[in-house]
Structure formats: structure tokens, C-alpha cells
Amino acid sequence: MMQQVGLLAVILLLSLVLVRFSGTHVDRETGQTVSNFFNPGSLVQILTETSFFAIMAVGMTLVIVSGGIDLSIGSVYALAGVGMALTMRAAGWDSPWAALALCIGFGLLAGVLNGTMVATLGVHPFIVTLGTMWVFRGVAFVVSKAESVLVPGPVTDFAKNPLFLGKGLTPVPAIVMGLFILGGALYLNRTTMGRRVLAVGGNADAARYAGLPIPYILAGVYVIAGLGAGIAAFLGAAYFGSASSADANGYELYVIASAVVGGVSLNGGRGTVTGAFLGALLIVLIRTGIRLLRLDQNYEWIIIGAAIIIAVVLDRLGARLLEKRMVNG
Amino acid sequence: MKVSAVGLSKRFPGVQALSDISVDFLPGEIHAICGENGAGKSTLGKVLAGLYSPEQGHVALDDRPVRFSSPREAQAAGISIVHQELLFAENLTVADNLLLGEIPNQFGWVSDRRMHETALRWLQKVGSDIDPSMEVSKLSVSKQQLVQIAGGIGRGAKVLIFDEPTSSLTATEATALLGLIRELSAAGTTCLYVSHRLDEIFAIADRVTVLRDGAWVGTKPIAEVTPSSLVQMMVGRELLPSSEGDGAFGEPVLEVRGLSSPGRFRDISLTVRAGEIVGLAGLVGAGRTEVCESIFGVDRRATGSVSVAGKSLVLGSPQRSISAGVALVPEDRKRHGLVLGMTIRHNGSIAVLPRLSTLGWLNRTAESRTVREFTDRLRVKAPSIESLVGGLSGGNQQKVVLAKWLATDAAVLLIDEPTRGVDVGAKVEIHGLIREAAASGKAVLLVSSDMPELRALCDRMIVLREGVQVAELGRAASETEILSAMAGV
């Protein structure tokens, strides 16, 4: 909770910097001068970009809290997107709900596969998901013949529906993200399964001695991670209008980074879903900031990498100070 | 060498661990430092050994003030500590560990031969035949301890600080260690013995210093104190004597027939009736913990028949055992009993989550109520049930484990070493709680290495030796009878 105050402060600070220094442009329709950063279009755009990471980061947080890791999450995204697009094309469907169901289905399938292997094989999740990371992407590559597959128009219209907002604004991904984060947070904090995930991640031995059904608990978090990747894939493929086996390449690391910046402990047992969202938001803000402040884009990775390390170090420092204060007070 | 604490004070966040402690430890004496958990006895040892630096006061060697900024400087000055929790790089060999700080080398290349020779010489000084090329993880705890002592003596220690050295040793190993400490002190080494085991203190100490809540209570020659006066100094109050059970029990609740687990124990049969406390006695490695773990379902290879309240139990799954009404308070509470990073509320409810939820949705009011009910009844001392379990003292942690299982309303309580590392006051309380649980009709199977504890609590005792049930003794059995059954002499 307190950790997120620090993260929130950093995000606000960065936002202020962007408001002040990102420059302005003249809106073509209204003729008014607006900030390059602080305008509805840019803000919704940032939330949209965040949503792809953050939805996956929810599942990743649960996985890491349980003491594991899911490296295959980006590949599940690609597989779900490609699988959905191919099935829609082959069946001649164009309903966005069918597309959503397909993406969720493929995501869950991949999650069940990961979860079952982690729960039963006794191999470290890093290795299991390192393997499936290539397998899933490889399957997507083979079935799509390495081509980009178009998504039916109505599906794109669904994801880009302006709803109650003005023309050109696309709040659907952000809304889905909000719902998924809410669901994830409730799952972790208010359900018995969430509590069990925390216990298994905190001390797997003690959890076993308390009679918890460990294989189900472990499998469960990978299934949720798969679900998140499926939903993110639906939003992504629909939003961009196509799916390819190269989608979300390397996203697993952005997603892990989001979770870690958000305060999840790689040792398991500690982490919050809202923190992961803030972590994802910070990373997207940094990427946007580089563009808006007209910094050399070639430095993007260097800046993001350094920012992650700094964020985590500051976070730990803050937590330690807070701990001292609580003990003394 | 004489070592003195001169007005030492040490503060930790939220607690004054030591306040103005002044004691002289004389050359060649065995000086016991005792007190309840949290009294500051380990902290005093650690300050003397340079692990902590004091805020006020100083350490003096032969009346010369010294200041250590690291344990290495203390070692160089002749003070070594044998830790409560052994600190080893377990994947390395004995020799590697002994010389970790000063690996003999030539331009960075390790000289294995010189390392082996030095380690061997040091080990021989403490009369040990441990092979320096053994991996530390393959040694028993007592051997690991010898390695630590050898490290201290080898580096020329004039002062050795033993921090709860026997807490994980068997009776025989402990006796051997006490013998070694006597020899070391006879050879002129000043030995500081931090412990709350009264029998050991009376067995070896020349003088004893008692601390309470970080403050000095007294330093006395051992001849001037009795066990009860010492306990009174430690806790600052009189302790109630143990009460006797009346011997009336209910129906058999736990029935075990022909329970075996390959390589651990075989053919164990026992019955525990409602309201009865049955002890499982035996040396470390006799299979006591393993029997409990099999009944609880942790050991998948166990065979035999176990029934609870007349219903037969299929072994091999803790979930099944728990739903049949079995609870296990495990030996190693930090590893198996608690999630240290979670709160008392989370730990206390973990075994009863289904009862506290509807369709997987936790009812947090009911959770808090249940946990509070049991932590209140067990008098867990903590700011609130939202406190992290990792920050509690050993005794309070153990009470949280007990609370967690009492909340399941299990008919059978398997309790393994309930008071290990728990201070005297909490020990008495935990004994009371176990008796209360039995009096309320639960069947209790108790494992303990603490002989007085077994004799104080148990209505009957079953003795195991090397995995075989060798004797059943009544409440009246003497300590000698029990010990000889355990050791087979």
C-alpha cells in the first residue's frame, strides 16, 4: 500500500514534467493550443498502450506472488491472437464476442498447459515457461505461415468504439484493463484462492503442512496468466486490425518489469495487482515521454532499463525506512 | 583473558535490547548468561563478539577498552562466537568454511593442500575426527558446531561465546559438547554460555548472569542459586507447579495399527483416547517426527491403518487427514508451521479458509473474529492480529501455530517439540494450553526431546528406538527408566 504511494508520486512527477516540457500543438478542429501530453487523445492513448501490458501484468503478479514466473506470456498473446484471427477467417465469423471467446479459450488452454506442467513435473516454472515460450510462438508461427492475419472489421470497431467519449478516442482497452485489475485485486485480497496463493509463495512447506491443495493453487495462477494474455491479445489484435506470430515479442520482460516495479517480490509471497498496473503505467509513460520530449529514441532501452533498477531500489529504500518508522512508532 | 562489558547499551528499532550492562567474565571461567527470550542474552553475546556495536559503553579485554567494528576484528583480538543458527556455506567443504575469511592462496589461486592441513590441525585441537574435505551439509548439527568451535580455537580464541549451542542437539551430543566446554575452560579459555536450559547451566557454569528485558538482574556463583531462584530471577515471578491429570479418559480417538514407512520406522501401533496426552519419546532420529508426519499425511510412502474416531483414514494427503480431524503442530515452526511474511490473521485462518468463505469469497469479519478468539484464548502477545508473524518471539509464534490448529477443531492434535526455542514463561503457558486442549476432549500425541516436559505432560509414553516401538511407560516412570528405554541399555 505505502509502496504504491512512492510509485504514484514518481508517476505524478513524471506527468508534471511532461505537461511542462512536452510542448504544444494547435488542435485542427477547435483551433485551440493544447499540450502535447495533457490532452484527451494522448492520455487515452497512453492508457490503451498500458492496457496491453497491465492486463498481462495482473496474471504475472499472481504467478510471481505464488513463487513462480511465466516467461511464455508474450507467446501466449501471439498464439491467442493468431489462433483467433485464423479461426475467424476459416469460419467466416465476424462477431467481436466470438473473437473474445476464442482469444480467452486459447489463452486458457495455454495457461492450463503451463499450470499442469508446473504443478506436476516438479521442474522450475522458469524452465517450463522458457520452453513453452518458444513452443507457443513456434506454433503461432507455423499455423500462420509467418504471415500477418487480418481481423474482421467489426472486431476492430468493437475495440475502437469511442463509447461515450468523443470521436477518435478509444476507451475500450482501458476499461477492460480497469475491470481486469479490479478482478485481480479482489481475487488476491478477498478470495480464499488468493490467500492461498500468498501463502504458497510465502512458504510452500508451511502451506503443504496446512493442507492446502498446492498443485491446484499453482496451476490456477498460470491459468489466470493465460486468461490475461488471451484478453490482452484480443484487445491488441482487434485494436491493430491484425495478428501475427511476431506480436508481443519480448513483452514477457516488460510485463515482469511492470510487476517488479510495482513492488512484487521475486521470492514470492508479496505483491499487489494495483502496483503492477502502476508499474506498467510508469513504463509506458517513460516510453511516451522519450517521444514527447524529443529525446533520441535510440536511448529508449537504456532509459527504461535504468529506470527499472532505480525504481526498484528507491522502492526498497522507502519500504525499509517505513518499516523502521513503524517499529519505532 | 578477562573480558568485560562496561555499561553496554544497544537499541534496536522499537526495543531497548541492552541497557547499561556491566559484567566481568573472568579468565578460564564458564559463565552462563541466561534470561527469557528477548531478555537480551544473545544480543550481549553478539556485542561482545563484534557482530553488533553498542550505542553506549564498551567492551574491555583485560581492562583495556576495545572497539570492534566487525566479528573479524573480535576474532583477531581472541573472541569467537558459536552461533545459535549455524552460519555456513553449506555447499562447501569443512575446510572451505573454516578458512573462508582467509583462504590460503598464491596470487589468487587456492592452495587446497594448505587449507586441508590447517583445517585438520584446527579440528584435532577440539578432538574431532571430522574429515575437512566433507561437505558441511552432510554433517550433523553437532558436528557442524564442532567445526565452528574448531574455527574459533584454531584462530587462537581466548574467549568463546556459545549462543544456545544445544538447542538442536540430542542428549548424548549435548553431553559431549558440555564435556568439551569444560576441557576448554580448564585449558584457560573463557567460555560464555548463553542458554535458558537450566539443567545445563547447573551442570557446567561457574557463575551465572541473569538478564531481564535487556537489564542486568544479577551475577552469582552457581552455588548460590537454585533452579527455582534462577527462574524467579529470569521471569520476575513465581511459576505455578504442574498439575496432575486424573487419569479418566474417553473413547479411543486415534488408533494406529502397523504403521510403517520404509527406512524411517516400522510397525507402530498406538491408541490415544479422548482427553489423553500420549508422549512419543526417543532420541533424535528414532522416528518420532516421522510417525506424526505419516499420520498427518505428509509422508506419501507410509503404510498401515490409521483411524480417527472410528473412521478409517486413507494416508498420504494432509488435506484428507485435516478433514478427518487431525492437526499437526510441526517441529520446525518457521519452515512448516508459519508463513513468516504474513500477518497473524492470515496465518491463523489458513487451515480453515473454506469455513470462513462463501463460494470462495472470504468473509473477513468472520476471519478476524475467529482468529481473535483463538489468539485471545492463547494469550498471543502482539500489537494486533495484523502484525507480521515473523516479528513475534518464538513463544508467540508457537502460540499462533497452536491457534491455527485449535481453530480447525481437530479431534487429534499431533504436537511436535512445542517448546523448542521458547522462553520459560511461554513454555509454562504452552504446557497449560496443551493440558487444556486435552481436558476439552482432544487426543494429544506429543513428541518432545525435553524430558521434564514429557514427564510433566504425558499420561503415558511410547518409546521409539531406531524406528521401532520398544516400550510403553506410565506416568510414574522415572527419568532413568525412560532414558534407558530410549538408548536401549
Side-chain angles (χ1 to χ4, degrees):
Chain A
M1 192 70 136
M2 288 317 228
Q3 282 175 346
Q4 286 157 40
V5 174
L7 194 52
L8 211 54
V10 172
I11 288 172
L12 283 177
L13 199 71
L14 186 56
S15 305
L16 285 176
V17 169
L18 289 177
V19 169
R20 175 72 184 75
F21 295 107
S22 62
T24 56
H25 68 273
V26 176
D27 191 302
R28 257 173 287 163
E29 281 175 27
T30 60
Q32 283 174 328
T33 306
V34 292
S35 160
N36 283 339
F37 169 71
F38 198 70
N39 68 71
S42 292
L43 294 179
V44 171
Q45 185 59 36
I46 286 170
L47 283 181
T48 306
E49 263 183 67
T50 307
S51 66
F52 306 130
F53 290 148
I55 290 173
M56 288 194 276
V58 171
M60 184 66 83
T61 300
L62 296 177
V63 170
I64 298 178
V65 165
S66 82
I69 191 107
D70 185 355
L71 296 176
S72 73
I73 205 159
S75 299
V76 175
Y77 178 107
L79 180 64
V82 165
M84 178 273 285
L86 286 173
T87 315
M88 298 288 282
R89 190 168 72 184
W93 295 336
D94 61 1
S95 154
W97 299 109
L100 179 61
L102 282 169
C103 278
I104 288 179
F106 283 116
L108 286 178
L109 192 69
V112 168
L113 210 67
N114 275 333
T116 314
M117 287 199 282
V118 168
T120 57
L121 294 185
V123 178
H124 195 282
F126 186 97
I127 296 171
V128 170
T129 58
L130 182 70
T132 55
M133 172 178 93
W134 279 314
V135 171
F136 292 153
R137 196 172 289 282
V139 171
F141 185 80
V142 171
V143 295
S144 67
K145 303 190 180 67
E147 284 167 7
S148 189
V149 189
L150 290 179
V151 169
V155 178
T156 301
D157 294 342
F158 177 88
K160 289 195 162 178
N161 192 332
L163 299 179
F164 49 88
L165 292 181
K167 220 171 145 254
L169 298 179
T170 55
V172 171
I175 291 169
V176 175
M177 166 177 75
L179 292 176
F180 200 72
I181 289 166
L182 185 68
L186 289 176
Y187 178 85
L188 193 57
N189 298 319
R190 292 300 184 87
T191 70
T192 53
M193 275 319 265
R195 182 65 60 74
R196 289 172 170 149
V197 170
L198 280 164
V200 170
N203 184 346
D205 277 328
R208 193 162 67 96
Y209 275 71
L212 302 191
I214 300 206
Y216 294 97
I217 298 169
L218 288 183
V221 291
Y222 292 89
V223 173
I224 294 174
L227 170 70
I231 291 174
F234 166 75
L235 293 173
Y239 191 84
F240 297 114
S242 70
S244 117
S245 63
D247 283 346
N249 205 354
Y251 270 32
E252 52 279 346
L253 296 182
Y254 279 110
V255 171
I256 292 170
S258 302
V260 169
V261 169
V264 71
S265 159
L266 284 175
N267 296 325
R270 196 169 65 88
T272 62
V273 167
T274 43
F277 158 66
L278 293 178
L281 184 61
L282 180 64
I283 289 176
V284 171
L285 268 182
I286 291 172
R287 285 180 20 159
T288 312
I290 291 168
R291 212 171 54 237
L292 287 177
L293 299 175
R294 295 187 192 79
L295 301 174
D296 189 337
Q297 295 231 357
N298 297 320
Y299 288 90
E300 177 178 324
W301 287 339
I302 300 177
I303 294 172
I304 289 185
I308 288 170
I309 295 176
I310 293 170
V312 172
V313 169
L314 284 180
D315 176 64
R316 299 288 179 273
L317 222 64
R320 214 171 304 151
L321 284 177
L322 192 82
E323 225 165 75
K324 263 193 190 153
R325 277 234 322 273
M326 285 203 306
V327 173
N328 284 327
Chain B
M1 188 160 59
K2 174 175 146 190
V3 57
S4 316
V6 185
L8 288 179
S9 291
K10 175 75 191 167
R11 221 187 127 68
F12 290 119
V15 53
Q16 186 71 40
L18 292 178
S19 43
D20 195 22
I21 304 283
S22 297
V23 190
D24 287 336
F25 304 97
L26 305 174
E29 78 167 337
I30 303 179
H31 195 128
I33 302 171
C34 64
E36 291 193 277
N37 280 0
K41 51 190 195 303
S42 286
T43 311
L44 177 57
K46 284 177 179 161
V47 170
L48 293 171
L51 283 150
Y52 297 148
S53 49
E55 269 106 43
Q56 274 155 35
H58 61 265
V59 178
L61 292 177
D62 291 333
D63 297 322
R64 271 179 302 106
V66 285
R67 197 160 284 281
F68 305 130
S69 55
S70 74
R72 230 170 135 177
E73 288 181 27
Q75 263 174 15
I79 304 181
S80 277
I81 186 163
V82 178
H83 284 285
Q84 189 171 359
E85 262 126 33
L86 302 161
L87 303 173
F88 280 118
E90 298 214 333
N91 54 331
L92 298 181
T93 66
V94 170
D96 287 331
N97 272 288
L98 275 175
L99 293 145
L100 207 51
E102 54 242 70
I103 295 171
N105 65 78
Q106 237 154 5
F107 315 115
W109 293 96
V110 175
S111 164
D112 276 325
R113 189 182 47 79
R114 249 163 63 207
M115 196 146 92
H116 190 90
E117 282 169 3
T118 314
L120 199 64
R121 204 170 58 240
W122 290 6
L123 286 165
Q124 278 162 356
K125 277 193 192 168
V126 295
S128 157
D129 57 353
I130 299 166
D131 176 4
S133 55
M134 281 270 278
E135 230 175 73
V136 164
S137 59
K138 300 215 169 79
L139 297 176
S140 67
V141 175
S142 64
K143 293 253 167 83
Q144 293 187 10
Q145 216 163 39
L146 272 179
V147 173
Q148 274 204 343
I149 299 170
I153 296 291
R155 287 198 182 80
K158 304 279 194 320
V159 179
L160 274 178
I161 300 165
F162 295 88
D163 191 359
E164 308 266 7
T166 56
S167 54
S168 333
L169 301 187
T170 63
T172 339
E173 290 167 342
T175 315
L177 177 68
L178 296 186
L180 176 62
I181 294 175
R182 263 191 221 103
E183 278 171 36
L184 292 169
S185 104
T189 311
T190 307
C191 296
L192 274 59
Y193 194 83
V194 176
S195 179
H196 51 223
R197 293 205 171 171
L198 299 185
D199 48 341
E200 291 171 1
I201 291 170
F202 281 96
I204 64 164
D206 301 313
R207 292 198 300 157
V208 55
T209 290
V210 179
L211 303 182
R212 186 167 70 230
D213 300 329
W216 180 83
V217 178
T219 298
K220 290 189 172 168
I222 200 74
E224 290 177 17
V225 289
T226 63
S228 68
S229 73
L230 199 55
V231 168
Q232 206 180 331
M233 283 169 83
M234 282 159 70
V235 299
R237 62 178 185 273
E238 291 273 12
L239 294 170
L240 296 170
S242 59
S243 64
E244 290 283 319
D246 53 10
F249 308 116
E251 294 292 303
V253 178
L254 175 69
E255 288 173 282
V256 176
R257 296 288 169 267
L259 188 66
S260 300
S261 177
R264 299 181 180 179
F265 59 85
R266 57 185 184 277
D267 204 20
I268 305 292
S269 297
L270 54 89
T271 303
V272 187
R273 288 167 290 174
E276 190 179 27
I277 304 177
V278 173
L280 268 186
L283 301 174
V284 170
R288 299 166 301 167
T289 297
E290 290 78 358
V291 168
C292 290
E293 289 187 339
S294 298
I295 298 171
F296 188 64
V298 182
D299 180 356
R300 293 229 174 98
R301 293 176 304 170
T303 55
S305 93
V306 172
S307 68
V308 177
K311 281 199 210 98
S312 129
L313 168 65
V314 183
L315 296 173
S317 145
Q319 283 157 269
R320 272 200 302 267
S321 294
I322 291 169
S323 48
V326 181
L328 171 68
V329 177
E331 178 180 20
D332 189 340
R333 63 176 165 269
K334 288 188 181 170
R335 250 184 78 201
H336 297 143
L338 295 166
V339 185
L340 296 175
M342 296 208 308
T343 60
I344 296 176
R345 174 161 64 88
H346 290 183
N347 273 289
S349 66
I350 194 77
V352 288
L353 287 177
R355 209 180 71 204
L356 299 172
S357 60
T358 4
L359 301 172
W361 190 262
L362 258 180
N363 179 344
R364 297 210 289 187
T365 322
E367 184 189 21
S368 298
R369 197 171 50 228
T370 306
V371 173
R372 212 168 277 133
E373 179 194 332
F374 284 95
T375 50
D376 283 353
R377 198 199 294 171
L378 270 57
R379 291 179 293 277
V380 175
K381 278 181 220 110
S384 87
I385 60 168
E386 303 302 330
S387 307
L388 292 184
V389 162
L392 302 180
S393 71
N396 281 309
Q397 288 184 348
Q398 188 66 288
K399 286 185 191 171
V400 174
V401 182
L402 272 171
K404 156 174 135 184
W405 289 115
L406 290 178
T408 64
D409 203 23
V412 176
L413 289 176
L414 310 170
I415 305 181
D416 196 352
E417 301 287 3
T419 58
R420 175 172 289 176
V422 163
D423 63 64
V424 182
K427 191 169 173 174
V428 172
E429 282 189 82
I430 289 171
H431 286 176
L433 294 167
I434 294 174
R435 275 199 205 93
E436 250 174 61
S440 73
K442 297 190 187 307
V444 179
L445 188 62
L446 176 78
V447 172
S448 178
S449 297
D450 184 341
M451 190 63 62
E453 176 166 291
L454 280 175
R455 296 188 62 220
L457 286 176
C458 297
D459 301 303
R460 279 187 295 137
M461 256 168 277
I462 288 163
V463 182
L464 303 187
R465 186 167 71 234
E466 288 164 11
V468 183
Q469 193 169 347
V470 290
E472 179 166 339
L473 301 168
R475 177 180 269 281
S478 72
E479 203 154 316
T480 343
E481 274 179 85
I482 305 168
L483 271 171
S484 52
M486 278 163 55
V489 288

